[in-house]
C-alpha cells in the first residue's frame, strides 16, 4: 500500500502488509501446528474411545465429533470470507482479498464434509441417507453459496476483477444467509416431512459434550492453520519479484 | 487565461492484471491546451484515460481537478467532462437523434440536428444506427463534440473509421474548443494536423526507471 | 426528475425496439409447464397438487433466463460507462432499469400465469394468491437477479454462471411465494407468507441496487 497512512491506522495497514504478515506468521506457525496436533489427537481419542456410547444410537453417534465442528466452521467460514471481502473492497487491502480467495474452497470443502458426514450419520440412525430437514437443507444452500463464489472467481481472467466481484457476491450472500436460514426453518415447520428431529449439544451428557468442545476448538485452530498456509503461498506468489522474497529464497537455498 | 492547471496528476502508477503499466506519471493540463498521449500499444494510454475519467480505480497516486483532489469514485467533473472511449456509447436500435437526446436531455432537437449536419449526417437523424456504416456511427459519437459544454475532453482514438475530411473537421473543432479555454487529452495513431503537446507514456514505463 | 423520466422512457423505447426478445421467457414458461403433464402425469389430481410449486419454480427459471441481457448491451456498446460519467444517481438509474426490465419481462409472466394454472388444474382458491405472490415475487427476483447480471456482465458466457450464483439467493422468494399459493389451496390463511414476501421484496428493491452499482463499477473497470 503506497497510500500514506495516518498514524492511527498504521497498525491496520501494517497488518495488511504481506511482508509483515509473512514474517509474523512464520513465528506463529510452529505453535499453531503444535496446538492443532494436541487438540486434534486429544479430542479424537477422547471422543472416539473414551466418551460413553449413546443410549439410543450406540457408537454411530461419534460422527458428531467430525460433523458438528465442520458445520460450525462452514458457516463461520462464510462470514469470515465475506468480511475479508468487505475489508478488501473498502480499504483495498490485498491481503484481505487473498483471505477471501483461500477461504472459499476451504469453506466449500468443510460444508461438503458436514453434509457427507451428516448422511453417514443419518443412515444408521434414521435409516435414510438424506432428509429435507431444515438444518441439512440450509447446509446444502450454504454449499451452493460457496460454489457460486468459487465459480465467479474462476470465471474472471483478471485476478483483481475476480476478487472484487466475488467479494461483492460474498457480502450479498452474507446478508442473505440469515434470511435464507429463517425461511428454510419456516418452510420446514410447515411441511414437517418426518418425525425426525436432530438432537443437538444442549441435551447431551457432559461426558459426550466436553470432547466435542475440544474438537470444535481443534477444528477452528486447524482452519486457521490451513488459511495461514494458503495465505503464505499467495503472498510468495504475488510478491515473488520483490526484494524481500528474493532474499528469502537466497537464504533458504 | 488562468495559469493554475485544470488537471494535474502526481505520482500516478497503474498496474493491471499483474502487469505494471506506468509508474510515477506526472503531468499538468491547463486550459487552452491540447495534450496528445503517445506510446506504443499496451503502454497504458486507454487505462490512463479511464483512470482520469474516474472509470477505473486500479491506480495509486493523486489527481486534482481545478485544485480539488479526485477521489477514487469521484463525481467532481459532473458536466465538466466529455469522454469518448473505444466503445461507442451508441445504441444501434435507436436513431442518431434519439441517441444524442440521451446525452443532452436539456438540448433542443434543432441544435442536435445542427450538430448532425456538422458531422455530415443530415437526413440520417431518424434512421436506426444499425443501418449506418462504421464511419457514420463514429460520426454520431463525434457529434457530441458539437453539443457538449464540457471543459475537459478526453478522447480515446476518436478518428477510428473516420475519413480524412472528417478528421480535419474534428481537428478544427478541437482547436475551437481549446481556443475558448477548454482542454483536451487525446490518443490517436493518426498524425495530428494541429499542434499538440506530446506526452510519451513509454517514458514512464517500469522498464524506463531501472 | 426530468432526467429520470427521460431515462425511463428511453429504456421502454429500447425494450420496444428489441421486442422480439421479450416473448422468449413467456414461451419458455409455457413450454416447461407443458412438459410437466408429459413428464409426470396428466392426472388432474396429481397436477393440481404440484401446481403451486411448479408454477413458482418455472416462473423463477424464466425470470433467470431473461436477466442475462439486463446490462449486457449497455456494457458492450459503452452506454454503461457513459452512464457512469453522467451527473445522475447510479442507484436510481439501476432501479429504473430493473423496474423497466420487470415491467417487460416479469409482469407478463404474472399475467400469463393464470392460463398455465388452468392447464395444471390449480384449484380456484389458488388464483388470487398466485397472482399476488407472483406480482411481488417476480419483482424481487428481478432485483436480486440484477446483482448477478451486474457481476457477470463483463464475462463472455455468463448465462449459466448467473444462474449458479443467483439461484441460492432466490430460495426465500420461492419458499414464501409457493407457500402462499399452497396455503390458499389447502384452505389456510395465506396472509402471513404473502406479507413476508412483501417485506422481502421491499428490502430487495431498496438494497439490491447498492450491490448492483458496486458490481457494475467493477465490471466497467475490468
Amino acid at each position: 500500500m503506497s497510500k500514506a497512512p495516518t498514524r492511527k491506522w498504521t497498525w491496520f495497514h501494517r497488518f495488511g502488509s504481506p511482508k509483515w504478515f509473512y514474517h509474523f506468521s512464520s513465528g506463529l506457525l510452529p505453535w499453531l501446528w503444535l496446538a492443532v496436533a494436541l487438540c486434534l489427537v486429544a479430542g479424537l481419542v477422547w471422543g472416539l474411545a473414551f466418551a460413553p456410547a449413546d443410549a439410543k444410537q450406540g457408537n454411530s453417534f461419534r460422527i458428531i465429533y467430525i460433523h458438528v465442528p465442520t458445520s460450525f466452521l462452514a458457516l463461520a467460514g462464510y462470514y469470515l470470507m465475506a468480511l475479508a471481502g468487505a475489508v478488501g473492497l473498502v480499504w483495498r487491502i490485498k491481503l484481505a482479498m487473498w483471505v477471501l480467495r483461500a477461504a472459499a474452497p476451504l469453506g466449500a470443502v468443510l460444508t461438503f464434509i458436514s453434509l457427507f458426514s451428516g448422511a453417514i450419520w443419518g443412515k444408521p440412525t434414521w435409516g435414510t441417507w438424506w432428509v429435507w430437514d431444515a438444518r441439512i437443507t440450509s447446509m446444502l444452500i450454504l454449499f451452493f453459496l460457496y460454489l457460486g463464489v468459487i465459480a465467479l472467481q474462476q470465471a474472471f481472467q483478471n485476478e483483481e476483477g475476480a476478487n472484487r466481484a466475488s467479494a461483492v457476491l460474498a457480502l450479498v450472500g452474507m446478508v442473505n444467509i440469515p434470511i435464507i436460514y429463517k425461511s428454510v426453518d419456516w418452510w420446514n415447520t410447515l411441511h414437517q416431512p418426518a418425525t425426525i428431529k436432530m438432537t443437538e449439544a444442549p441435551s447431551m451428557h457432559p461426558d459426550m459434550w466436553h470432547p466435542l468442545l475440544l474438537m470444535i476448538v481443534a477444528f477452528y485452530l486447524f482452519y486457521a492453520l490451513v488459511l495461514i498456509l494458503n495465505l503464505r503461498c499467495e503472498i510468495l506468489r504475488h510478491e515473488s519479484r520483490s526484494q524481500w522474497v528474493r532474499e528469502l529464497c537466497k537464504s533458504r537455498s | 487565461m488562468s495559469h493554475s492547471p485544470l488537471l494535474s496528476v502526481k505520482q500516478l502508477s497503474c498496474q493491471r492484471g499483474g502487469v505494471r503499466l506506468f509508474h510515477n506519471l506526472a503531468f499538468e493540463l491547463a486550459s487552452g491546451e491540447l495534450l496528445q498521449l503517445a506510446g506504443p500499444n499496451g503502454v497504458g494510454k486507454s487505462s490512463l484515460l479511464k483512470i482520469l475519467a474516474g472509470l477505473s480505480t486500479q491506480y495509486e497516486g493523486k489527481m486534482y481537478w481545478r485544485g480539488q483532489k479526485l477521489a477514487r469514485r469521484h463525481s467532481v467533473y459532473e458536466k465538466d467532462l466529455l469522454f469518448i472511449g473505444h466503445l461507442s456509447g451508441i445504441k444501434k436500435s435507436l436513431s442518431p437523434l434519439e441517441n444524442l437526446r440521451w446525452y443532452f436531455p436539456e438540448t433542443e432537437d434543432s441544435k442536435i440536428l445542427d450538430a448532425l449536419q456538422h458531422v455530415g449526417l443530415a437526413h440520417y437523424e431518424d434512421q436506426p444506427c444499425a443501418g449506418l456504416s462504421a464511419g457514420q456511427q463514429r460520426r454520431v459519437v463525434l457529434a457530441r463534440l458539437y453539443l457538449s459544454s464540457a471543459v475537459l475532453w478526453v478522447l480515446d482514438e476518436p478518428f477510428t473509421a473516420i475519413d480524412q475530411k472528417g478528421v480535419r473537421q474534428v481537428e478544427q473543432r478541437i482547436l475551437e474548443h481549446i481556443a475558448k479555454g477548454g482542454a483536451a487529452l487525446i490518443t490517436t495513431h493518426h498524425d495530428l494536423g494541429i499542434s499538440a503537446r506530446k506526452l510519451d507514456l513509454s517514458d514512464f514505463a517500469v522498464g524506463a526507471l531501472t | 426528475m426530468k432526467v429520470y423520466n427521460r431515462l425511463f422512457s428511453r429504456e421502454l423505447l429500447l425494450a420496444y425496439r428489441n421486442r422480439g426478445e421479450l416473448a422468449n421467457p413467456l414461451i419458455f414458461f409455457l413450454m416447461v409447464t407443458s412438459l410437466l403433464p408429459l413428464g409426470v402425469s396428466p392426472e388432474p389430481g396429481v397436477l393440481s397438487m404440484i401446481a403451486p410449486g411448479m408454477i413458482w419454480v418455472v416462473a423463477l427459471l424464466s425470470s433467470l433466463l431473461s436477466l442475462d441481457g439486463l446490462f449486457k448491451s449497455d456494457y458492450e456498446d459503452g452506454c454503461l460507462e457513459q452512464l457512469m460519467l453522467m451527473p445522475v444517481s447510479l442507484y436510481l438509474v439501476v432501479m429504473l432499469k430493473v423496474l423497466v426490465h420487470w415491467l417487460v419481462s416479469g409482469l407478463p409472466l404474472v399475467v400469463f400465469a393464470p392460463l398455465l394454472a388452468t392447464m395444471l388444474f390449480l384449484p380456484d382458491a389458488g388464483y388470487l394468491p398466485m397472482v399476488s405472490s407472483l406480482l411481488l415475487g417476480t419483482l424481487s427476483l428481478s432485483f436480486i437477479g440484477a446483482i448477478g447480471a451486474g457481476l457477470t456482465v463483463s464475462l463472455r458466457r455468463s448465462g449459466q454462471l448467473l444462474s449458479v450464483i443467483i439461484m441460492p439467493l432466490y430460495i426465500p422468494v420461492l419458499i414464501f411465494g409457493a407457500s402462499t399459493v399452497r396455503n390458499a389451496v389447502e384452505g389456510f390463511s395465506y396472509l402471513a407468507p404473502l406479507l413476508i414476501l412483501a417485506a422481502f421484496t421491499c428490502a430487495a428493491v431498496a438494497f439490491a441496487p447498492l450491490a448492483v452499482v458496486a458490481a457494475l463499477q467493477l465490471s466497467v473497470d475490468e
Side-chain angles (χ1 to χ4, degrees):
Chain A
M1 295 288 100
S2 65
K3 278 198 308 189
T6 57
R7 181 164 298 169
K8 204 171 116 194
W9 288 96
T10 33
W11 66 270
F12 191 67
H13 280 269
R14 194 180 58 166
F15 199 73
S17 143
K19 184 184 169 186
W20 181 85
F21 184 83
Y22 190 89
H23 290 303
F24 169 75
S25 62
S26 297
L28 188 70
L29 271 181
W31 298 105
L32 203 54
W33 272 111
L34 189 71
V36 169
L38 279 179
C39 289
L40 212 54
V41 170
L44 276 177
V45 172
W46 191 359
L48 296 188
F50 292 99
D54 186 82
K56 279 183 243 154
Q57 301 176 22
N59 278 324
S60 69
F61 97 96
R62 294 185 199 277
I63 201 158
I64 63 162
Y65 294 117
I66 302 293
H67 178 75
V68 173
T70 49
S71 308
F72 274 27
L73 262 175
L75 186 59
Y78 197 94
Y79 282 99
L80 176 84
M81 179 178 78
L83 291 175
V87 171
L89 277 180
V90 175
W91 287 285
R92 300 168 52 79
I93 291 174
K94 286 181 198 153
L95 196 67
M97 286 302 193
W98 299 340
V99 171
L100 169 94
R101 281 185 93 78
L106 195 54
V109 168
L110 283 169
T111 317
F112 180 77
I113 294 175
S114 158
L115 283 169
F116 192 75
S117 58
I120 297 174
W121 188 18
K123 186 64 185 168
T125 318
W126 307 306
T128 168
W129 296 106
W130 186 262
V131 275
W132 287 98
D133 155 273
R135 215 180 288 263
I136 301 175
T137 311
S138 299
M139 197 49 86
L140 182 67
I141 296 168
L142 184 67
F143 186 54
F144 292 159
L145 286 171
Y146 271 120
L147 291 185
V149 172
I150 295 170
L152 191 64
Q153 267 174 359
Q154 301 295 324
F156 276 80
Q157 300 284 321
N158 175 353
E159 195 184 306
E160 186 101 0
N163 290 343
R164 287 160 68 191
S166 50
V168 171
L169 182 63
L171 275 171
V172 172
M174 186 178 88
V175 173
N176 267 285
I177 281 178
I179 303 174
I180 294 174
Y181 273 46
K182 277 282 164 216
S183 52
V184 169
D185 252 358
W186 186 84
W187 159 83
N188 199 239
T189 54
L190 202 70
H191 288 268
Q192 295 193 334
T195 47
I196 297 161
K197 274 272 169 262
M198 288 240 202
T199 47
E200 270 301 347
S203 61
M204 283 169 72
H205 191 271
D207 285 347
M208 297 173 174
W209 191 62
H210 287 150
L212 181 61
L213 213 60
L214 190 63
M215 281 304 280
I216 291 173
V217 172
F219 265 78
Y220 266 89
L221 290 171
F222 179 67
Y223 182 90
L225 177 70
V226 175
L227 197 69
I228 288 174
L229 288 176
N230 256 309
L231 270 179
R232 286 164 63 89
C233 287
E234 286 283 330
I235 289 171
L236 290 182
R237 193 163 70 82
H238 283 90
E239 304 272 303
S240 60
R241 284 197 224 145
S242 71
Q243 195 63 34
W244 70 269
V245 176
R246 281 184 193 169
E247 277 164 17
L248 195 78
C249 289
K250 249 180 236 163
S251 67
R252 288 282 172 86
S253 60
Chain B
M1 227 159 270
S2 73
H3 285 282
S4 68
L6 283 177
L7 179 73
S8 75
V9 167
K10 283 171 188 161
Q11 294 161 339
L12 196 70
S13 306
C14 172
Q15 188 172 353
R16 283 190 89 96
V19 181
R20 298 176 82 176
L21 292 175
F22 46 81
H23 192 69
N24 271 337
L25 174 68
F27 69 89
E28 289 185 341
L29 187 66
S31 70
E33 254 193 316
L34 170 63
L35 182 66
Q36 183 186 3
L37 293 179
N41 290 122
V43 79
K45 298 191 291 287
S46 294
S47 298
L48 174 61
L49 294 191
K50 272 185 132 180
I51 290 170
L52 291 175
L55 289 170
S56 172
T57 59
Q58 301 186 38
Y59 68 90
E60 301 290 339
K62 295 189 185 85
M63 303 185 293
Y64 300 85
W65 173 247
R66 296 184 194 275
Q68 197 181 343
K69 191 170 178 224
L70 293 177
R72 274 184 202 281
R73 289 272 170 226
H74 55 73
S75 52
V76 190
Y77 293 131
E78 289 281 312
K79 288 174 179 175
D80 280 346
L81 172 76
L82 174 89
F83 174 81
I84 291 180
H86 278 269
L87 303 169
S88 66
I90 293 294
K91 287 273 174 226
K92 289 197 172 170
S93 56
L94 299 183
S95 70
L97 184 61
E98 286 163 339
N99 268 303
L100 290 171
R101 269 189 202 142
W102 182 59
Y103 286 102
F104 306 101
E106 324 265 294
T107 308
E108 295 135 41
D109 281 357
S110 61
K111 285 192 181 159
I112 296 179
L113 292 177
D114 282 349
L116 284 171
Q117 192 163 15
H118 273 295
V119 294
L121 286 177
H123 311 304
Y124 286 98
E125 66 268 10
D126 285 329
Q127 235 184 59
C129 288
L132 303 181
S133 75
Q136 284 174 318
Q137 288 185 23
R138 198 66 192 168
R139 281 162 183 267
V140 179
V141 180
L142 292 176
R144 291 172 57 199
L145 300 181
Y146 292 87
L147 291 162
S148 168
S149 54
V151 180
L152 178 65
W153 288 5
V154 173
L155 312 174
D156 196 357
E157 297 290 345
F159 303 130
T160 315
I162 299 286
D163 57 33
Q164 286 211 332
K165 196 178 151 224
V167 171
R168 212 121 337 116
Q169 278 177 347
V170 173
E171 287 172 352
Q172 284 312 309
R173 179 69 194 129
I174 294 173
L175 278 186
E176 279 172 42
H177 169 67
I178 59 175
K180 278 190 290 183
L185 259 161
I186 187 169
T187 69
T188 177
H189 289 293
H190 284 256
D191 287 323
L192 272 182
I194 49 179
S195 67
R197 187 156 68 94
K198 272 201 185 182
L199 179 75
D200 195 338
L201 274 194
S202 46
D203 292 346
F204 299 91
V206 179
L209 275 177
T210 48
Chain C
M1 264 340 273
K2 199 180 157 198
V3 182
Y4 297 103
N5 276 338
R6 288 262 181 153
L7 283 171
F8 189 71
S9 46
R10 172 180 149 109
E11 290 300 322
L12 279 177
L13 179 66
L14 278 169
Y16 175 71
R17 292 277 160 87
N18 302 319
R19 56 193 172 279
E21 296 164 17
L22 296 182
N24 290 345
L26 282 181
I27 298 170
F28 179 85
F29 196 25
L30 178 67
M31 282 185 177
V32 177
T33 314
S34 10
L35 289 183
L36 280 176
L38 298 172
V40 184
S41 153
E43 239 3 83
V46 177
L47 285 177
S48 71
M49 199 182 75
I50 59 169
M54 282 324 294
I55 290 173
W56 254 98
V57 169
V58 180
L60 187 147
L61 292 179
S62 23
S63 153
L64 261 181
L65 193 72
S66 66
L67 272 166
D68 190 32
L70 179 51
F71 301 112
K72 204 84 179 183
S73 69
D74 280 328
Y75 175 79
E76 281 166 356
D77 62 23
C79 286
L80 190 58
E81 60 181 25
Q82 292 294 341
L83 197 57
M84 288 184 175
L85 300 174
M86 288 182 184
V88 289
S89 148
L90 266 185
Y91 174 84
L92 288 178
V93 170
V94 164
M95 208 178 255
L96 276 182
K97 280 189 79 75
V98 181
L99 264 180
V100 170
H101 178 265
W102 175 76
L103 278 178
V104 300
S105 71
L107 196 56
L109 285 183
V110 181
V111 175
F112 217 47
L115 178 70
L116 301 181
T118 317
M119 290 165 69
L120 293 180
F121 307 103
L122 183 76
D124 288 346
Y127 278 78
L128 183 65
M130 180 193 66
V131 170
S132 44
S133 67
L134 276 177
L135 203 62
L136 287 167
T138 49
L139 190 60
S140 50
L141 293 183
S142 287
F143 270 87
I144 298 167
I147 301 173
L151 285 172
T152 57
V153 72
S154 65
L155 304 171
R156 209 158 284 162
R157 288 202 190 150
S158 50
Q160 274 180 349
L161 180 65
L162 171 66
S163 309
V164 166
I165 64 175
I166 286 305
M167 239 189 278
L169 304 176
Y170 275 178
I171 286 166
V173 182
L174 177 68
I175 287 177
F176 292 113
S179 301
T180 305
V181 189
R182 186 174 300 274
N183 275 13
V185 168
E186 289 171 358
F188 300 111
S189 161
Y190 58 86
L191 205 60
L194 191 64
L195 287 179
I196 298 174
L197 187 63
F200 187 83
T201 305
C202 290
V205 171
F207 297 118
L210 294 174
V212 180
V213 168
L216 290 176
Q217 279 172 339
L218 72 90
S219 292
V220 163
D221 197 1
E222 253 303 278

